[in-house]
Protein backbone atom coordinates (compact mmCIF):
# COMPACT_ATOMS: atom_id res chain seq x y z
CA UNK A 1 0.00 0.00 0.00
CA UNK A 2 1.21 3.51 -0.72
CA UNK A 3 0.13 7.13 -0.33
CA UNK A 4 0.05 9.56 -3.24
CA UNK A 5 1.84 12.84 -2.49
CA UNK A 6 0.81 15.63 -4.86
CA UNK A 7 3.07 18.67 -5.18
CA UNK A 8 0.88 21.76 -5.40
CA UNK A 9 1.11 23.12 -8.93
CA UNK A 10 3.17 20.14 -10.14
CA UNK A 11 3.57 16.38 -10.28
CA UNK A 12 3.39 13.88 -7.50
CA UNK A 13 4.99 10.71 -6.24
CA UNK A 14 4.04 7.63 -4.26
CA UNK A 15 5.36 6.93 -0.77
CA UNK A 16 5.08 3.40 0.56
CA UNK A 17 2.89 3.21 3.69
CA UNK A 18 5.82 1.53 5.49
CA UNK A 19 8.19 4.40 4.65
CA UNK A 20 9.93 6.09 7.58
CA UNK A 21 9.63 9.71 6.43
CA UNK A 22 8.23 11.89 3.65
CA UNK A 23 11.78 12.99 2.80
CA UNK A 24 13.11 9.48 2.34
CA UNK A 25 10.08 8.51 0.27
CA UNK A 26 10.54 11.55 -1.97
CA UNK A 27 14.27 10.94 -2.50
CA UNK A 28 13.69 7.23 -3.17
CA UNK A 29 11.17 8.28 -5.84
CA UNK A 30 13.91 10.46 -7.41
CA UNK A 31 12.24 13.76 -6.43
CA UNK A 32 14.58 16.73 -5.85
CA UNK A 33 13.22 17.50 -2.37
CA UNK A 34 15.34 20.12 -0.52
CA UNK A 35 17.22 18.82 2.54
CA UNK A 36 20.60 18.80 4.26
CA UNK A 37 20.89 16.98 7.59
CA UNK A 38 17.99 14.43 7.48
CA UNK A 39 17.77 14.57 11.29
CA UNK A 40 15.62 17.60 12.12
CA UNK A 41 18.41 20.09 12.74
CA UNK A 42 18.76 22.37 9.72
CA UNK A 43 15.24 23.24 8.54
CA UNK A 44 16.10 22.83 4.83
CA UNK A 45 13.28 20.31 4.30
CA UNK A 46 10.44 22.64 5.46
CA UNK A 47 7.16 22.29 3.62
CA UNK A 48 3.46 23.20 3.94
CA UNK A 49 0.80 20.52 4.28
CA UNK A 50 -2.14 21.65 2.11
CA UNK A 51 -4.36 18.61 2.67
CA UNK A 52 -4.16 15.07 4.03
CA UNK A 53 -2.83 13.54 7.22
CA UNK A 54 0.82 13.63 8.23
CA UNK A 55 2.33 12.31 11.49
CA UNK A 56 5.06 14.38 13.19
CA UNK A 57 7.93 12.20 14.44
CA UNK A 58 9.61 14.90 16.54
CA UNK A 59 7.52 17.92 17.54
CA UNK A 60 10.44 19.71 19.19
CA UNK A 61 12.88 19.39 16.26
CA UNK A 62 15.20 22.44 16.29
CA UNK A 63 14.97 22.76 12.49
CA UNK A 64 11.66 24.65 12.98
CA UNK A 65 11.62 28.08 14.62
CA UNK A 66 8.68 29.29 16.72
CA UNK A 67 7.67 31.45 13.75
CA UNK A 68 7.75 28.37 11.45
CA UNK A 69 5.52 26.51 13.90
CA UNK A 70 3.04 29.39 14.09
CA UNK A 71 2.90 29.41 10.28
CA UNK A 72 2.20 25.65 10.25
CA UNK A 73 5.50 24.63 8.65
CA UNK A 74 6.63 21.00 8.90
CA UNK A 75 9.89 19.11 8.36
CA UNK A 76 9.86 16.39 5.71
CA UNK A 77 12.60 14.46 7.55
CA UNK A 78 10.38 14.35 10.66
CA UNK A 79 6.99 13.72 8.97
CA UNK A 80 5.34 10.49 7.88
CA UNK A 81 2.34 10.48 5.52
CA UNK A 82 -0.71 8.62 6.86
CA UNK A 83 -2.93 9.27 3.82
CA UNK A 84 -2.78 10.77 0.32
CA UNK A 85 -1.59 14.36 0.77
CA UNK A 86 -1.03 17.60 -1.12
CA UNK A 87 2.03 19.59 -0.08
CA UNK A 88 3.71 22.84 -1.04
CA UNK A 89 7.50 22.84 -1.43
CA UNK A 90 9.98 24.17 -3.98
CA UNK A 91 11.81 21.14 -5.39
CA UNK A 92 15.01 21.50 -7.42
CA UNK A 93 17.30 19.54 -9.74
CA UNK A 94 20.23 20.21 -7.39
CA UNK A 95 18.54 18.10 -4.68
CA UNK A 96 17.85 15.09 -6.88
CA UNK A 97 19.81 12.20 -5.32
CA UNK A 98 22.79 11.15 -7.50
CA UNK A 99 22.47 7.67 -5.93
CA UNK A 100 18.94 6.72 -4.78
CA UNK A 101 18.92 5.85 -1.05
CA UNK A 102 17.88 2.34 -0.03
CA UNK A 103 17.08 0.73 3.33
CA UNK A 104 19.41 -2.17 4.19
CA UNK A 105 20.26 -4.46 7.07
CA UNK A 106 23.89 -4.23 8.14
CA UNK A 107 25.98 -6.35 10.52
CA UNK A 108 28.63 -4.77 12.74
CA UNK A 109 31.80 -6.71 11.90
CA UNK A 110 34.43 -4.63 13.73
CA UNK A 111 34.91 -1.59 15.94
CA UNK A 112 38.43 -0.18 16.08
CA UNK A 113 39.41 2.70 18.42
CA UNK A 114 41.14 5.55 16.56
CA UNK A 115 41.42 8.05 19.45
CA UNK A 116 40.32 8.05 23.11
CA UNK A 117 36.81 9.21 22.10
CA UNK A 118 36.43 8.01 18.49
CA UNK A 119 36.21 4.59 16.87
CA UNK A 120 35.91 3.29 13.34
CA UNK A 121 32.81 1.12 12.94
CA UNK A 122 32.85 -1.40 10.08
CA UNK A 123 29.47 -2.70 8.92
CA UNK A 124 28.58 -5.11 6.14
CA UNK A 125 25.46 -5.28 3.99
CA UNK A 126 24.46 -7.95 1.47
CA UNK A 127 24.03 -5.11 -1.07
CA UNK A 128 27.01 -3.25 -2.59
CA UNK A 129 27.95 -0.01 -0.77
CA UNK A 130 26.72 2.48 -3.39
CA UNK A 131 27.49 6.08 -2.46
CA UNK A 132 29.72 8.98 -3.42
CA UNK A 133 32.64 9.84 -1.12
CA UNK A 134 31.50 12.43 1.44
CA UNK A 135 27.90 11.21 1.76
CA UNK A 136 26.24 9.86 4.90
CA UNK A 137 23.80 7.17 6.04
CA UNK A 138 21.08 7.40 8.69
CA UNK A 139 20.23 4.86 11.32
CA UNK A 140 18.66 4.50 14.72
CA UNK A 141 21.26 3.46 17.33
CA UNK A 142 19.85 0.76 19.67
CA UNK A 143 17.34 2.14 22.18
CA UNK A 144 17.30 5.76 20.92
CA UNK A 145 14.46 8.04 19.82
CA UNK A 146 14.93 9.20 16.28
CA UNK A 147 17.66 8.58 13.77
CA UNK A 148 21.23 9.88 13.65
CA UNK A 149 23.35 10.67 10.60
CA UNK A 150 26.88 9.29 10.22
CA UNK A 151 29.19 9.88 7.25
CA UNK A 152 30.99 7.08 5.48
CA UNK A 153 34.78 7.23 5.89
CA UNK A 154 35.63 4.68 3.19
CA UNK A 155 35.06 4.54 -0.57
CA UNK A 156 32.08 2.95 -2.34
CA UNK A 157 32.64 -0.75 -2.95
CA UNK A 158 31.01 -3.89 -4.26
CA UNK A 159 31.63 -5.82 -1.01
CA UNK A 160 28.97 -3.97 0.97
CA UNK A 161 31.46 -2.48 3.44
CA UNK A 162 30.41 0.72 5.22
CA UNK A 163 32.88 2.44 7.54
CA UNK A 164 31.97 5.25 9.96
CA UNK A 165 34.14 7.20 12.39
CA UNK A 166 31.93 7.95 15.38
CA UNK A 167 32.75 10.16 18.34
CA UNK A 168 31.37 9.28 21.76
CA UNK A 169 29.55 12.51 22.68
CA UNK A 170 29.39 13.09 26.47
CA UNK A 171 25.74 12.49 27.44
CA UNK A 172 24.77 11.73 23.82
CA UNK A 173 22.22 8.91 23.62
CA UNK A 174 22.88 7.71 20.07
CA UNK A 175 26.67 7.84 19.95
CA UNK A 176 27.02 6.14 23.35
CA UNK A 177 24.59 3.42 22.30
CA UNK A 178 26.79 2.73 19.26
CA UNK A 179 29.72 2.04 21.62
CA UNK A 180 27.91 0.34 24.51
CA UNK A 181 24.73 -1.31 23.19
CA UNK A 182 25.82 -2.64 19.79
CA UNK A 183 27.95 -5.80 19.90
CA UNK A 184 30.03 -7.31 17.11
CA UNK A 185 27.66 -9.50 15.06
CA UNK A 186 24.57 -7.39 15.90
CA UNK A 187 22.42 -6.07 13.06
CA UNK A 188 21.40 -2.47 12.41
CA UNK A 189 18.95 -1.08 9.85
CA UNK A 190 20.80 1.55 7.85
CA UNK A 191 19.50 3.81 5.09
CA UNK A 192 21.49 5.72 2.52
CA UNK A 193 23.24 7.33 0.89
CA UNK A 194 22.20 10.93 1.67
CA UNK A 195 23.89 14.32 1.48
CA UNK A 196 25.19 16.83 -1.02
CA UNK A 197 28.74 17.34 0.31
CA UNK A 198 30.13 14.65 -1.95
CA UNK A 199 33.29 14.64 -4.01
CA UNK A 200 33.05 16.26 -7.46
CA UNK A 201 35.53 14.21 -9.51
CA UNK A 202 34.87 16.34 -12.60
CA UNK A 203 35.95 19.66 -10.99
CA UNK A 204 39.46 20.40 -12.32
CA UNK A 205 40.65 22.28 -9.23
CA UNK A 206 42.85 21.82 -6.16
CA UNK A 207 40.99 20.11 -3.33
CA UNK A 208 40.93 21.63 0.16
CA UNK A 209 39.49 19.35 2.90
CA UNK A 210 38.86 20.60 6.42
CA UNK A 211 37.76 18.43 9.36
CA UNK A 212 36.74 19.43 12.85
CA UNK A 213 36.65 16.53 15.36
CA UNK A 214 34.45 13.70 14.08
CA UNK A 215 34.19 15.53 10.72
CA UNK A 216 37.29 13.50 9.94
CA UNK A 217 35.19 10.57 8.55
CA UNK A 218 33.88 12.25 5.37
CA UNK A 219 37.18 14.12 4.95
CA UNK A 220 39.08 10.82 4.82
CA UNK A 221 36.57 9.53 2.27
CA UNK A 222 36.82 12.63 0.05
CA UNK A 223 40.63 12.71 0.35
CA UNK A 224 40.83 9.04 -0.69
CA UNK A 225 38.51 9.72 -3.63
CA UNK A 226 40.59 12.72 -4.73
CA UNK A 227 43.79 10.66 -4.63
CA UNK A 228 42.16 7.81 -6.57
CA UNK A 229 40.48 10.09 -9.17
CA UNK A 230 43.61 11.97 -10.24
CA UNK A 231 46.83 11.16 -8.42
CA UNK A 232 48.51 14.40 -9.61
CA UNK A 233 45.83 16.74 -8.22
CA UNK A 234 46.92 19.02 -5.36
CA UNK A 235 45.18 18.04 -2.13
CA UNK A 236 45.38 20.06 1.09
CA UNK A 237 43.99 18.58 4.32
CA UNK A 238 43.45 20.48 7.57
CA UNK A 239 42.52 18.51 10.69
CA UNK A 240 41.27 20.48 13.70
CA UNK A 241 41.40 18.70 17.06
CA UNK A 242 41.76 19.57 20.73
CA UNK A 243 45.01 17.75 21.52
CA UNK A 244 47.65 15.65 19.77
CA UNK A 245 45.95 12.46 21.02
CA UNK A 246 42.75 13.47 19.15
CA UNK A 247 44.41 13.51 15.70
CA UNK A 248 43.67 10.50 13.49
CA UNK A 249 43.79 11.48 9.80
CA UNK A 250 47.21 9.82 9.07
CA UNK A 251 46.17 6.58 10.78
CA UNK A 252 42.86 6.43 8.87
CA UNK A 253 44.45 7.26 5.49
CA UNK A 254 47.21 4.64 5.66
CA UNK A 255 49.33 4.57 2.51
CA UNK A 256 46.86 6.85 0.64
CA UNK A 257 48.40 9.64 2.75
CA UNK A 258 51.25 9.72 0.15
CA UNK A 259 48.78 11.37 -2.24
CA UNK A 260 48.16 14.32 0.11
CA UNK A 261 50.11 17.44 -0.93
CA UNK A 262 50.07 19.08 2.52
CA UNK A 263 48.49 17.80 5.77
CA UNK A 264 48.14 20.41 8.52
CA UNK A 265 47.00 19.38 12.01
CA UNK A 266 45.73 22.29 14.12
CA UNK A 267 45.32 21.93 17.90
CA UNK A 268 43.02 24.14 19.98
CA UNK A 269 43.66 22.85 23.51
CA UNK A 270 47.13 21.27 23.54
CA UNK A 271 48.90 21.99 26.87
CA UNK A 272 51.65 24.60 26.82
CA UNK A 273 55.07 22.98 27.13
CA UNK A 274 53.86 19.62 25.73
CA UNK A 275 56.51 19.73 23.02
CA UNK A 276 53.96 20.35 20.21
CA UNK A 277 55.62 22.61 17.67
CA UNK A 278 52.81 22.50 15.08
CA UNK A 279 49.94 24.96 14.59
CA UNK A 280 47.78 26.01 17.55
CA UNK A 281 44.36 27.70 17.42
CA UNK A 282 41.14 27.04 15.51
CA UNK A 283 41.29 25.22 12.22
CA UNK A 284 39.42 27.93 10.25
CA UNK A 285 42.04 30.49 11.33
CA UNK A 286 44.80 28.34 9.86
CA UNK A 287 42.80 27.82 6.65
CA UNK A 288 42.52 31.60 6.31
CA UNK A 289 46.26 32.01 6.82
CA UNK A 290 47.46 29.12 4.66
CA UNK A 291 44.96 28.90 1.77
CA UNK A 292 44.42 32.65 1.12
CA UNK A 293 45.62 33.19 -2.45
CA UNK A 294 44.83 29.60 -3.53
CA UNK A 295 41.10 29.94 -2.73
CA UNK A 296 40.20 30.92 -6.29
CA UNK A 297 41.62 27.68 -7.70
CA UNK A 298 40.12 25.38 -5.07
CA UNK A 299 37.13 23.17 -4.38
CA UNK A 300 36.29 23.11 -0.64
CA UNK A 301 34.97 20.17 1.40
CA UNK A 302 34.41 20.38 5.15
CA UNK A 303 32.56 18.73 8.03
CA UNK A 304 32.35 19.22 11.76
CA UNK A 305 30.63 21.15 14.55
CA UNK A 306 28.42 24.16 13.70
CA UNK A 307 30.85 26.85 15.03
CA UNK A 308 33.53 25.57 12.64
CA UNK A 309 31.27 25.25 9.60
CA UNK A 310 29.77 28.71 10.24
CA UNK A 311 33.23 30.32 10.54
CA UNK A 312 34.32 28.65 7.30
CA UNK A 313 31.14 29.68 5.46
CA UNK A 314 31.74 33.28 6.53
CA UNK A 315 35.37 33.11 5.39
CA UNK A 316 34.69 31.45 2.04
CA UNK A 317 31.43 33.09 1.01
CA UNK A 318 31.65 36.56 2.52
CA UNK A 319 35.38 37.28 2.69
CA UNK A 320 36.76 35.31 -0.25
CA UNK A 321 33.58 35.25 -2.40
CA UNK A 322 34.17 31.63 -3.43
CA UNK A 323 31.24 30.53 -5.65
CA UNK A 324 28.71 28.49 -3.63
CA UNK A 325 28.96 25.66 -6.19
CA UNK A 326 32.55 25.03 -5.03
CA UNK A 327 31.72 24.74 -1.33
CA UNK A 328 30.52 21.37 -0.01
CA UNK A 329 29.95 20.81 3.70
CA UNK A 330 27.99 19.03 6.41
CA UNK A 331 27.18 20.60 9.73
CA UNK A 332 27.19 17.91 12.45
CA UNK A 333 24.24 18.77 14.69
C1 LIG B 1 24.99 15.01 7.97
C2 LIG B 1 25.59 14.60 9.29
C3 LIG B 1 26.67 13.72 9.33
C4 LIG B 1 27.23 13.34 10.54
N1 LIG B 1 28.31 12.50 10.54
C5 LIG B 1 28.88 12.15 11.72
C6 LIG B 1 30.04 11.29 11.74
O1 LIG B 1 30.54 10.84 10.70
N2 LIG B 1 30.57 10.97 12.95
C7 LIG B 1 30.04 11.45 14.14
O2 LIG B 1 30.56 11.10 15.21
N3 LIG B 1 28.94 12.26 14.13
C8 LIG B 1 28.35 12.60 12.97
N4 LIG B 1 27.24 13.41 12.97
C9 LIG B 1 26.62 13.78 14.28
C10 LIG B 1 25.69 12.65 14.73
O3 LIG B 1 24.61 12.49 13.83
C11 LIG B 1 25.05 12.90 16.12
O4 LIG B 1 24.46 14.16 16.16
C12 LIG B 1 26.08 12.77 17.22
O5 LIG B 1 26.64 11.46 17.23
C13 LIG B 1 25.44 13.04 18.58
O6 LIG B 1 24.36 12.16 18.72
P1 LIG B 1 23.91 11.60 20.16
O7 LIG B 1 22.72 10.76 19.96
O8 LIG B 1 25.09 11.00 20.84
O9 LIG B 1 23.53 12.94 20.93
P2 LIG B 1 22.06 13.43 21.33
O10 LIG B 1 22.28 14.77 21.94
O11 LIG B 1 21.35 12.42 22.11
O12 LIG B 1 21.30 13.61 19.92
C14 LIG B 1 21.87 14.42 18.91
C15 LIG B 1 21.02 14.56 17.68
O13 LIG B 1 20.10 13.49 17.50
C16 LIG B 1 18.89 13.96 16.92
N5 LIG B 1 17.76 13.70 17.87
C17 LIG B 1 17.78 13.83 19.19
N6 LIG B 1 16.57 13.51 19.70
C18 LIG B 1 15.76 13.16 18.68
C19 LIG B 1 14.41 12.71 18.57
N7 LIG B 1 13.62 12.57 19.61
N8 LIG B 1 13.94 12.43 17.34
C20 LIG B 1 14.72 12.58 16.25
N9 LIG B 1 16.03 12.99 16.30
C21 LIG B 1 16.54 13.28 17.50
C22 LIG B 1 19.09 15.42 16.72
O14 LIG B 1 19.55 15.65 15.41
C23 LIG B 1 20.13 15.78 17.74
O15 LIG B 1 20.85 16.95 17.43
C24 LIG B 1 26.68 13.82 11.76
C25 LIG B 1 25.57 14.69 11.73
C26 LIG B 1 25.04 15.07 10.52
C27 LIG B 1 23.85 16.01 10.51
S1 LIG C 1 16.83 17.94 6.40
FE1 LIG C 1 15.10 18.06 7.69
S2 LIG C 1 15.74 19.43 9.22
FE2 LIG C 1 17.57 19.10 8.09
Amino acid sequence: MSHRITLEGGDGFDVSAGEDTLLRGALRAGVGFPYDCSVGGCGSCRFDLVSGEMESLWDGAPGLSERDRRRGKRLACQSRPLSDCTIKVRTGEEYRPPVPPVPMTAVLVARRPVTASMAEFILKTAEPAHFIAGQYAVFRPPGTDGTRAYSMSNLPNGEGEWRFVIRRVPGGRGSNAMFDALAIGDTLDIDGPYGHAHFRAEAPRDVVCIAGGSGIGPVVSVARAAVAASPGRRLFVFEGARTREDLCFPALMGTAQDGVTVYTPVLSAEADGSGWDGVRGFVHEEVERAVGPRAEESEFYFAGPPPMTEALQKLLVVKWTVPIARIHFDRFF
Side-chain angles (χ1 to χ4, degrees), residues 39 58 146 148-151 165 167 172-175 214 332-333:
V39 290
W58 186 18
R148 304 292 187 267
Y150 292 103
S151 310
V165 176
R167 185 169 85 87
R173 286 153 298 161
S175 57
S214 55
F332 286 11
F333 290 99

Side-chain angles (χ1 to χ4, degrees), residues 36-41 57-58 61-62 78 118 136-137 140-141 144-153 164-177 195 214-218 330-333:
D36 278 305
C37 72
S38 291
V39 290
L57 302 176
W58 186 18
Q78 302 300 328
M118 291 199 285
Y136 64 87
R140 189 186 292 262
T144 54
D145 290 336
T147 50
R148 304 292 187 267
Y150 292 103
S151 310
M152 280 69 83
S153 58
F164 305 93
V165 176
I166 299 181
R167 185 169 85 87
R168 193 193 266 278
V169 175
R173 286 153 298 161
S175 57
N176 282 283
S214 55
I216 199 67
D330 274 323
R331 205 149 49 118
F332 286 11
F333 290 99

Side-chain angles (χ1 to χ4, degrees), residues 23 34-46 61-64 75-78 136 333:
L23 177 65
Y35 79 103
D36 278 305
C37 72
S38 291
V39 290
C42 71
S44 300
C45 64
R46 270 177 307 213
L64 285 181
L75 296 175
C77 69
Q78 302 300 328
Y136 64 87
F333 290 99

Side-chain angles (χ1 to χ4, degrees), residues 23-308:
L23 177 65
R24 294 195 209 176
L27 297 176
R28 272 193 244 296
V31 173
F33 206 107
Y35 79 103
D36 278 305
C37 72
S38 291
V39 290
C42 71
S44 300
C45 64
R46 270 177 307 213
F47 72 100
D48 292 297
L49 178 64
V50 178
S51 66
E53 208 185 333
M54 196 81 72
E55 175 188 17
S56 164
L57 302 176
W58 186 18
D59 288 338
L64 285 181
S65 65
E66 277 318 308
R67 184 161 177 262
D68 288 331
R69 289 194 168 84
R70 276 199 306 277
R71 293 165 67 206
K73 298 280 178 197
R74 293 164 185 257
L75 296 175
C77 69
Q78 302 300 328
S79 299
R80 201 161 73 86
L82 298 179
S83 71
D84 291 353
C85 295
T86 299
I87 64 170
K88 200 158 109 184
V89 64
R90 188 172 299 158
T91 56
E93 267 308 304
E94 68 277 26
Y95 299 112
R96 200 184 287 279
V99 182
V102 285
M104 292 160 282
T105 298
V107 178
L108 179 68
V109 295
R111 181 172 33 220
R112 186 169 71 93
V114 290
T115 67
S117 63
M118 291 199 285
E120 184 181 47
F121 289 69
I122 306 176
L123 291 100
K124 278 273 204 179
T125 53
E127 302 82 355
H130 282 317
F131 61 89
I132 309 177
Q135 289 193 290
Y136 64 87
V138 291
F139 43 84
R140 189 186 292 262
T144 54
D145 290 336
T147 50
R148 304 292 187 267
Y150 292 103
S151 310
M152 280 69 83
S153 58
N154 60 334
L155 290 178
N157 58 85
E159 291 76 48
E161 186 180 276
W162 305 74
R163 292 185 181 227
F164 305 93
V165 176
I166 299 181
R167 185 169 85 87
R168 193 193 266 278
V169 175
R173 286 153 298 161
S175 57
N176 282 283
M178 290 300 293
F179 283 83
D180 302 332
L182 193 71
I184 305 300
D186 283 356
T187 58
L188 190 68
D189 291 333
I190 71 170
D191 197 322
Y194 294 95
H196 315 295
H198 54 77
F199 181 55
R200 269 65 175 179
E202 69 290 355
R205 280 175 280 277
D206 291 352
V207 171
V208 177
C209 291
I210 307 146
S214 55
I216 199 67
V219 158
V220 168
S221 182
V222 168
R224 283 179 170 277
V227 171
S230 46
R233 187 197 308 250
R234 293 199 304 172
L235 167 61
F236 302 87
V237 177
F238 295 82
E239 180 180 13
R242 285 175 53 74
T243 69
R244 215 180 328 190
E245 284 70 40
D246 298 322
L247 295 169
C248 56
F249 178 78
L252 288 164
M253 280 294 274
T255 54
Q257 169 95 10
D258 294 345
V260 179
T261 313
V262 181
Y263 162 63
T264 309
V266 183
L267 302 184
S268 62
E270 178 73 5
D272 290 337
S274 71
W276 173 254
D277 59 3
V279 183
R280 290 173 184 265
F282 289 116
V283 68
H284 66 272
E285 296 163 347
E286 179 58 14
V287 170
E288 177 163 14
R289 200 194 59 73
V291 175
R294 266 199 313 273
E296 277 179 27
E297 310 145 30
S298 305
E299 199 81 15
F300 290 87
Y301 299 88
F302 50 97
M308 183 202 88

